[in-house]
Amino acid sequence: MRIAVIGGGPGGLYFAALVRQLEVADEVTVWERNAADDTFGFGVVFSDETLGGIEHADPRIFEQMRREFAQWDDVDVHFRGEVHTSGGHGFAAMGRRRLLEVLQQRCRELGVDLRFSTAAPDVELLRESYDLVVASDGVNSTVRGRYAEVFRPSAETTRCRYMWLGTDRVFDAFTFYVNETPHGVMQVHGYPFDARTSTFIVEMNEQVWRRAGFDSFAARSFLPGESDEKSVELVRDLFRDALGDAELYVNNSRWLTFVTIRNERWRHGNVVLLGDAAHTAHFSIGSGTKLAMEDALALAACLREQPGLDAALTSYEAERKPVVVSTQRAAQASLEWFENLGQYTGQDPRQFAFNIMTRSRRVTYENLRVRDPQFVAGVDAWFAGDGEVRPPMFQPFRLRGLELVNRVVVSPMDMYCAQDGLPNDFHLVHLGGKALGGAGLVMTEMVCVSPTGRITPGCTGLYTDEQAAGWRRITEFVHGNSAARIGVQLGHSGRKGSTRLMWEGMDEPLPEGNWEVVGPSPLPYRPGVSQTPRELAVSDLSELTRQFVGATRRAARAGFDLLELHCAHGYLLSSFISPLTNHRTDRYGGSLANRLRFPLEVFAAMRDAWPADLPMSVRISATDWCADGVDADDAVEIARAFAAAGADIVDVSTGQVDPAERPAFGRSYQTPFADRIRNEAGIATMAVGAISSYDDVNSILLAGRADLCLIGRAHLYDPHWTLHAAAEQGYAGPGAQWPQPWQAGSRRPRSGRTDGPRPRLDLIRAGEPGTRHRRWRPGPAGTPDGQPGPP
């Protein structure tokens, strides 16, 4: 096999060395337009996992790299004059230039033809004369651009600006410096990569960047390789506390905007993408070099394992793409966290440190507790205040006169089991069972305020006194048999009403017995399928308000502890808020303030009718997941408006407004919206959406991303999810109260098989395992020795 590699960065060189070592290819040629000793950037970071793969794949490369490594375990967070350290993480870094030298040397030993300062021939010519063409030509890949219609790339830019610098201050850990300046908050990502130098990346939101005046320095044209010295000088002044007397080094250092590259396909015939040409991930969770070298290893292995080129490239993409997608998802969460860094500056430094450590959602509460139990214990103690230290999810929470024993909420879930709006035995068992299962708050499904406000014939209501009596039976059971409290969610289906039961056809209109649906504008939910709603006249709105107030009064008589107004998911009040569904030209349409007018009128009327000592919440769709719909910026304003109207907490969901939506599904995917509203609008929030583990709940709460967590499907799978979470964490206390008849089952049962007591086989016992707090300590002669040091 003859292989052509376009791009002589670490990914391309490592791949070339591996395929020659494996004897997959007889001839490998690498073209690199830059000189052999040209490089941009400073250090590169590797995880222990990646290093294990490199060691196994080519021990000679690994050994050369190992001799150069700066290694450490700690992460230091500098914020508001305090330093908080989390240990046990495991990092290794080296200079990018030295890494290239190691890889170039290995390629020459293996007979790779390296052609530096030489542009690659036209890719079409290479395709014809080589069996395989590997495009490792970076983020601005010409090969990817040449075949864009096949690879179908996308490029997403951030709202931050950053600059790569070096410094002769040798950090002894991965270091975050968060600096609140007169222009706004800025941060530095710093880490050592040899005995004399550290990488120093400065990053800030673009608005802060402009207020600081960096835009005026960056406006001029720069020569190839030239650095923005004026900006560097200002950075030096702004981060004098972090640098001390140390100097900053430049290497083509100019302001950049990070671009996330994704490709729907990675191969075109015998051309395949590798590294930044195929994908990028924000530097805050690791280096692009790490990902590129992992790509190289996987591609070389697939070429050796598979019977032919086509099978090898198919296997490579199938193997690597899910890994990269997962990494990019974590990187996107981290990137967005830094974009919105300003919203966290009001946090206590201990919570801030936990927040920054868990920003990508890959590192969690439990994960940190294993790595550094002392760090997590300190944040737990801060979170508990003067109360008992316990897992965050089992801390109490107060809203007006309502106190919840823990932070877990059973999410509203439509059951579609009512007749004529009446709750029945199914609802009693469903809601009562969840209350017995330990949740602090149990929410009903959306309870409708009128017969024509129902989604389906199976929806419950609170538009008759008989229905109120049925609900009273359920609230009395919850109050009499558990420590839980119970909330009711009131709503009107709007244009999404008069449909079949969920299992008969989601959002499909009733074949018979249907009723008229209404909305702010005559726009059907599914054109050609759904019923077209009648546009509400202004005179209709007072009657609808009266229906909501009547249901509110019945809810109070029924004994509910919390009242929630449903303004999400495309139902009536949600459809007033979204510009996709509200095309009115009167005072109830147009601007966001106008679109909010009717929902706020309803909320205010309900607040007046609801007991003053009991809380009210509102569920919103924080984004429509559609262009020109409600977005995260709107969501903050929506939350502020409801807070001003008397809302105590916002239940932050998303979407279900327009069937054309494209949600970014994933674990805890809606939590960032709750996070932003809580920290920017200053109102308590509930997070909901793909939260299913107690580890995620603890992480969300301790980081200050929400005050309560709603758990839906996990409670359907396990009605006693909260009590089982307590048992799994070894917690027994007031935050997880087992019913007296169930006390014998409050400990996790043994599995079917257990190992018996093990004999002692160590003559001298090893010390108790503890947190690794290794710091980078260069040797006295300027060579690395990696000695551990105190944090």
Side-chain angles (χ1 to χ4, degrees):
M1 182 181 286
R2 301 178 71 230
I3 298 177
V5 179
I6 303 174
L13 292 171
Y14 188 48
F15 169 77
L18 290 178
V19 291
R20 285 295 295 136
Q21 176 201 315
L22 293 172
E23 299 182 348
V24 168
D26 300 307
E27 179 183 333
V28 182
T29 305
V30 178
W31 284 270
E32 171 55 52
R33 63 182 180 176
N34 294 307
D37 58 353
D38 282 349
T39 185
F40 304 109
F42 293 90
V44 293
V45 182
F46 298 94
S47 65
D48 289 345
E49 181 182 41
T50 301
L51 290 177
I54 293 173
E55 181 178 16
H56 177 74
D58 190 325
R60 292 188 62 175
I61 289 178
F62 175 78
E63 182 58 30
Q64 288 293 320
M65 292 173 62
R66 189 188 66 79
R67 292 174 186 172
E68 308 291 335
F69 283 152
Q71 292 183 289
W72 69 94
D73 297 303
D74 282 352
V75 178
D76 289 346
V77 181
H78 295 249
F79 178 59
R80 289 197 167 175
E82 297 185 20
V83 183
H84 292 274
T85 299
S86 173
H89 296 279
F91 295 99
M94 66 184 297
R96 180 178 172 86
R97 183 188 299 274
R98 184 65 188 122
L99 174 62
L100 289 171
E101 291 172 352
V102 168
L103 295 172
Q104 290 167 16
Q105 177 184 346
R106 183 61 172 149
C107 283
R108 292 189 181 100
E109 291 172 358
L110 294 166
V112 176
D113 183 2
L114 300 178
R115 302 183 184 183
F116 290 100
S117 301
T118 306
D122 183 86
V123 66
E124 280 296 311
L125 294 176
L126 293 177
R127 289 185 67 191
E128 293 174 3
S129 52
Y130 285 82
D131 300 293
L132 173 64
V133 179
V134 177
S136 58
D137 53 342
V139 66
N140 297 312
S141 170
T142 58
V143 176
R144 185 184 67 230
R146 179 77 170 267
Y147 303 119
E149 74 283 355
V150 177
F151 296 127
R152 294 193 290 275
S154 65
E156 183 179 349
T157 58
T158 70
R159 293 179 293 156
C160 281
R161 296 293 183 112
Y162 71 99
M163 179 185 287
W164 286 89
L165 296 162
T167 177
D168 58 2
R169 174 174 178 183
V170 181
F171 296 120
D172 57 1
F174 199 107
T175 304
F176 291 109
Y177 275 97
V178 180
N179 189 8
E180 294 178 90
T181 76
H183 319 292
V185 65
M186 306 175 183
Q187 73 270 8
V188 161
H189 313 245
Y191 57 86
F193 64 84
D194 63 26
R196 295 169 296 277
T197 326
S198 297
T199 294
F200 193 91
I201 308 170
V202 60
E203 185 182 31
M204 66 199 74
N205 187 284
E206 180 148 357
Q207 292 180 351
V208 177
W209 180 77
R210 292 185 183 280
R211 286 197 294 267
F214 288 116
D215 57 331
S216 63
F217 303 147
R220 73 176 184 86
S221 298
F222 292 89
L223 296 173
E226 183 184 6
S227 296
D228 182 351
E229 295 286 358
K230 288 187 176 180
S231 286
V232 174
E233 188 61 35
L234 181 52
V235 167
R236 186 180 288 111
D237 290 340
L238 288 166
F239 285 94
R240 180 56 61 191
D241 288 345
L243 289 166
D245 295 329
E247 290 299 320
L248 286 177
Y249 300 144
V250 299
N251 181 355
N252 195 35
S253 301
R254 300 198 292 265
W255 291 108
L256 301 169
T257 300
F258 191 84
V259 181
T260 301
I261 299 293
R262 299 179 178 89
N263 285 275
E264 292 187 24
R265 295 186 62 188
W266 289 12
R267 52 88 56 102
H268 170 46
N270 65 338
V271 178
V272 65
L273 301 178
L274 184 147
D276 284 355
H279 49 73
T280 59
H282 193 252
F283 53 81
S284 60
I285 69 156
S287 68
T289 298
K290 166 188 174 296
L291 286 175
M293 292 180 71
E294 289 175 354
D295 283 356
L297 190 154
L299 179 56
C302 290
L303 287 168
R304 181 178 184 274
E305 293 168 354
Q306 298 301 323
L309 180 63
D310 184 71
L313 298 185
T314 300
S315 178
Y316 162 68
E317 185 169 346
E319 178 181 318
R320 278 298 290 166
K321 200 168 185 180
V323 176
V324 168
V325 168
S326 175
T327 300
Q328 287 185 314
R329 187 180 299 120
Q332 186 68 23
S334 180
L335 176 158
E336 290 174 359
W337 193 93
F338 283 110
E339 280 186 334
N340 299 310
L341 179 61
Q343 72 189 33
Y344 303 117
T345 55
Q347 290 188 332
D348 181 273
R350 288 161 291 192
Q351 184 175 50
F352 183 90
F354 181 86
N355 197 353
I356 202 171
M357 294 303 303
T358 59
R359 66 193 181 278
S360 73
R361 302 198 286 273
R362 278 194 163 182
V363 176
T364 61
Y365 177 86
E366 281 297 316
N367 183 271
L368 276 179
R369 204 157 67 92
V370 170
R371 295 171 188 249
D372 192 344
Q374 287 182 318
F375 171 75
V376 174
V379 189
D380 274 343
W382 167 83
F383 192 73
D386 296 330
E388 173 195 356
V389 178
R390 57 183 93 162
M393 65 185 290
F394 295 112
Q395 290 292 348
F397 187 68
R398 176 172 289 276
L399 289 167
R400 297 201 184 206
L402 173 66
E403 180 158 323
L404 305 177
V405 296
N406 61 51
R407 307 294 187 98
V408 179
V409 182
V410 176
S411 190
M413 293 176 282
D414 290 318
M415 294 291 107
Y416 307 110
C417 290
Q419 290 190 353
D420 298 324
L422 285 168
N424 52 40
D425 287 350
F426 184 92
H427 298 89
L428 173 65
V429 174
H430 164 60
L431 297 171
K434 305 302 182 295
L436 293 174
L441 178 65
V442 177
M443 292 297 299
T444 69
E445 60 196 82
M446 185 176 91
V447 178
C448 304
V449 298
S450 69
T452 55
R454 293 176 297 165
I455 307 166
T456 76
C459 292
T460 57
L462 256 174
Y463 45 85
T464 71
D465 291 341
E466 185 183 6
Q467 292 162 353
W471 286 115
R472 182 80 191 185
R473 175 175 173 240
I474 294 170
T475 62
E476 287 179 347
F477 178 88
V478 170
H479 293 149
N481 294 276
S482 76
R485 294 296 177 260
I486 183 167
V488 59
Q489 184 189 76
L490 294 181
H492 188 294
S493 59
R495 69 174 188 163
K496 295 177 77 174
S498 192
T499 61
R500 297 171 183 254
L501 303 180
M502 178 181 66
W503 46 86
E504 295 175 349
M506 176 75 79
D507 296 322
E508 292 183 10
L510 290 170
E512 56 186 25
N514 59 324
W515 54 85
E516 179 186 55
V517 299
V518 296
S521 302
L523 302 169
Y525 179 64
R526 295 167 62 192
V529 177
S530 302
Q531 193 181 151
T532 299
R534 175 176 64 83
E535 181 173 340
L536 288 163
V538 173
S539 58
D540 295 320
L541 302 184
S542 58
E543 171 57 23
L544 285 165
T545 302
R546 187 190 64 78
Q547 292 172 0
F548 275 97
V549 169
T552 297
R553 291 183 173 133
R554 292 187 185 93
R557 293 199 298 272
F560 285 105
D561 303 296
L562 177 143
L563 175 66
E564 178 167 285
L565 178 62
H566 202 329
C567 293
H569 299 171
Y571 297 122
L572 180 64
L573 298 180
S574 169
S575 62
F576 267 88
I577 297 172
S578 173
L580 301 177
T581 49
N582 184 345
H583 293 182
R584 298 175 76 99
T585 57
D586 61 7
R587 61 198 298 264
Y588 293 101
S591 67
L592 177 60
N594 280 358
R595 300 195 310 271
L596 274 168
R597 191 183 306 277
F598 180 56
L600 289 172
E601 288 175 354
V602 171
F603 187 93
M606 293 170 67
R607 180 68 267 183
D608 287 343
W610 183 245
D613 63 328
L614 293 181
M616 276 188 69
S617 65
V618 57
R619 170 167 275 196
I620 67 170
S621 284
T623 176
D624 291 339
W625 299 113
C626 290
D628 302 320
V630 166
D631 61 19
D633 292 337
D634 295 327
V636 173
E637 297 309 313
I638 292 167
R640 284 182 173 137
F642 278 106
D648 301 288
I649 192 167
V650 180
D651 177 356
V652 186
S653 188
T654 66
Q656 301 181 51
V657 172
D658 190 311
E661 68 181 9
R662 298 189 65 184
F665 284 121
R667 181 171 129 252
S668 307
Y669 72 108
Q670 295 177 153
T671 299
F673 299 97
D675 183 357
R676 182 173 174 188
I677 288 170
R678 182 183 190 273
N679 288 290
E680 194 169 321
I683 183 173
T685 60
M686 302 188 222
V688 63
I691 303 170
S692 56
S693 73
Y694 64 78
D695 190 15
D696 283 335
V697 172
N698 284 328
S699 300
I700 289 166
L701 296 171
L702 196 56
R705 296 176 190 134
D707 299 275
L708 301 173
C709 287
L710 288 92
I711 310 297
R713 294 179 184 179
H715 270 125
L716 297 180
Y717 178 77
D718 178 4
H720 309 128
W721 183 90
T722 307
L723 293 179
H724 291 161
E728 291 284 342
Q729 295 173 82
Y731 171 72
Q737 298 183 27
W738 286 76
Q740 288 294 334
W742 294 356
Q743 285 290 329
S746 62
R747 289 182 298 276
R748 183 180 182 183
R750 292 185 177 183
S751 59
R753 177 190 177 278
T754 58
D755 290 327
R758 300 181 66 84
R760 173 173 175 159
L761 298 175
D762 295 324
L763 180 62
I764 300 175
R765 293 189 189 276
E768 288 295 319
T771 301
R772 292 191 308 175
H773 276 299
R774 181 177 48 172
R775 314 282 283 193
W776 171 233
R777 297 285 190 264
T783 57
D785 64 12
Q787 293 300 310

